[in-house]
């Protein structure tokens, strides 16, 4: 079998498993969001901020993916919500089978919001559907404002762009308006927020977006198909 045919087969099988996961999330009323960025853009930091701000009784959970180490799960478990690490052992993205396997001993009826932190990579995670309701792409101000043009697929497929590390703007030659304009060239309707995970600026916009997204999903679930 040649490489293209094999890749098609793998992606076809992944799509089938992702469709099953999406159906299970829908049945149990789980809003699943898939966070994607280059390594180190601030996915775990944003989730740390989110869990810290999250009301204790609310039912949120995280699956966090990395090639090696349990570091991100250790960071996120401190907030008392269910968190599991997925180590891929070399694979540059998560796939639907890994999600399915790591959900096996969680009761989906006890989760309202599930974050998946993908492996740090702007390319491979874009091709693998995980059954999520939406993808969120992060871009930090140290990465250059041309990234939406260089890696269009993930910016096209994500509903929200989170620009991170805005506290560093005084120190780096990053034109934030240009970055947003580039993202809009690839994805005209894309929503955007700007945050600093360290200083805390913009976090209310991110949390507000999440709240609104949960409301939209709940309304969609209630309306007849
Ligand atoms: N100045 C500044 N540093 C940040 C911000 N967000 C994250 N960092 C730092 O950036 C580094 C990487 O952050 P992580 O949250 O681990 O990034 P990540 O995207 O989860 O990284 P991977 O999981 O390895 O892909 C850490 O040293 C963070 O403290 C921010 O908003 N401002
Ligand atoms: Mg991380």
């Amino acid at each position: 079998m040649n490489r293209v045919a094999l890749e098609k087969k793998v992606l076809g099988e992944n799509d089938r498993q992702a469709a099953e996961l999406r159906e299970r999330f829908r049945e149990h009323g789980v809003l699943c969001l898939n966070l994607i960025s280059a390594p180190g853009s601030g996915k775990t930091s944003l989730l740390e901020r989110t869990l810290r701000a999250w009301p204790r009784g609310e039912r949120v959970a995280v699956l966090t993916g990395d090639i090696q180490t349990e570091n991100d799960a250790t960071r996120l478990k401190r907030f008392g919500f269910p968190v599991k690490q997925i180590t891929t052992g070399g694979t540059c993205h998560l796939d639907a089978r890994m999600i399915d396997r790591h959900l096996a001993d969680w009761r989906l009826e006890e989760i309202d919001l599930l974050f998946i932190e993908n492996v740090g990579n702007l390319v491979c995670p874009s091709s693998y559907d995980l059954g999520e309701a939406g993808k969120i792409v992060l871009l930090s101000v140290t990465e250059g404002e041309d990234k939406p043009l260089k890696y269009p697929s993930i910016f096209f497929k994500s509903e929200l762009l989170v620009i991170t590390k805005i506290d560093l703007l005084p120190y780096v030659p990053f034109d934030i308006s240009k970055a947003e304009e580039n993202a809009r060239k690839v994805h005209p309707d894309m929503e955007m927020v700007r945050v600093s995970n360290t200083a805390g600026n913009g976090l209310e916009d991110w949390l507000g977006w999440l709240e609104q997204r949960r409301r939209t999903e709940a309304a969609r679930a209630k309306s007849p198909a």
Side-chain angles (χ1 to χ4, degrees):
M1 194 182 289
N2 68 32
R3 194 185 149 141
V4 173
L6 185 65
E7 208 165 278
K8 262 191 171 164
K9 188 163 177 266
V10 170
L11 284 173
E13 177 56 16
N14 186 74
D15 283 350
R16 189 192 61 71
Q17 287 186 321
E20 279 178 21
L21 278 172
R22 185 166 287 111
E23 182 54 24
R24 280 172 57 206
F25 291 146
R26 195 195 58 74
E27 261 173 38
H28 293 99
V30 179
L31 173 62
C32 175
L33 298 171
N34 181 3
L35 273 62
I36 296 169
S37 79
S41 304
K43 299 178 292 301
T44 310
S45 302
L46 183 67
L47 289 173
E48 287 179 299
R49 279 285 192 172
T50 308
L51 297 186
R52 185 181 302 162
W54 214 254
R56 285 306 89 181
E58 294 246 358
R59 307 185 313 170
V60 61
V62 184
L63 292 176
T64 181
D66 276 297
I67 290 178
Q68 289 294 352
T69 84
E70 297 263 334
N71 293 357
D72 285 2
T74 305
R75 284 167 63 185
L76 293 167
K77 276 179 184 166
R78 294 179 297 147
F79 301 96
F81 296 100
V83 172
K84 226 183 258 187
Q85 181 77 47
I86 305 178
T87 42
T88 66
T91 308
C92 56
H93 56 83
L94 297 177
D95 63 31
R97 195 165 52 98
M98 297 175 196
I99 302 300
D100 186 49
R101 235 185 308 129
H102 286 80
L103 285 176
D105 57 354
W106 277 357
R107 291 166 58 83
L108 286 185
E109 54 273 39
E110 292 173 1
I111 299 172
D112 295 324
L113 177 59
L114 173 66
F115 290 110
I116 299 175
E117 178 186 341
N118 220 308
V119 178
N121 187 316
L122 276 178
V123 184
C124 315
S126 135
S127 305
Y128 285 80
D129 185 2
L130 305 180
E132 72 275 343
K135 291 181 173 57
I136 295 173
V137 63
L138 286 75
L139 173 67
S140 69
V141 304
T142 55
E143 290 169 52
E145 55 279 280
D146 58 352
K147 292 303 167 290
L149 304 178
K150 286 187 171 178
Y151 302 90
S153 172
I154 191 56
F155 288 86
F156 176 70
K157 290 180 181 174
S158 297
E159 52 186 84
L160 177 72
L161 165 63
V162 183
I163 299 189
T164 59
K165 309 196 186 182
I166 60 168
D167 55 291
L168 299 180
L169 279 172
Y171 313 106
V172 289
F174 182 86
D175 182 342
I176 197 161
S177 305
K178 189 79 192 161
E180 289 172 341
E181 188 188 316
N182 286 340
R184 288 220 164 83
K185 278 186 190 153
V186 174
H187 185 164
D189 302 332
M190 192 171 214
E191 295 183 80
M192 300 181 188
V193 293
R194 303 170 173 187
V195 305
S196 165
N197 295 315
T198 48
N201 323 34
L203 287 166
E204 66 286 358
D205 296 335
W206 155 248
L207 293 170
W209 183 88
L210 269 181
E211 199 46 52
Q212 182 56 40
R213 185 66 180 79
R214 293 179 73 194
R215 276 201 289 272
T216 327
E217 196 68 12
R220 192 175 299 160
K222 273 193 202 132
S223 67

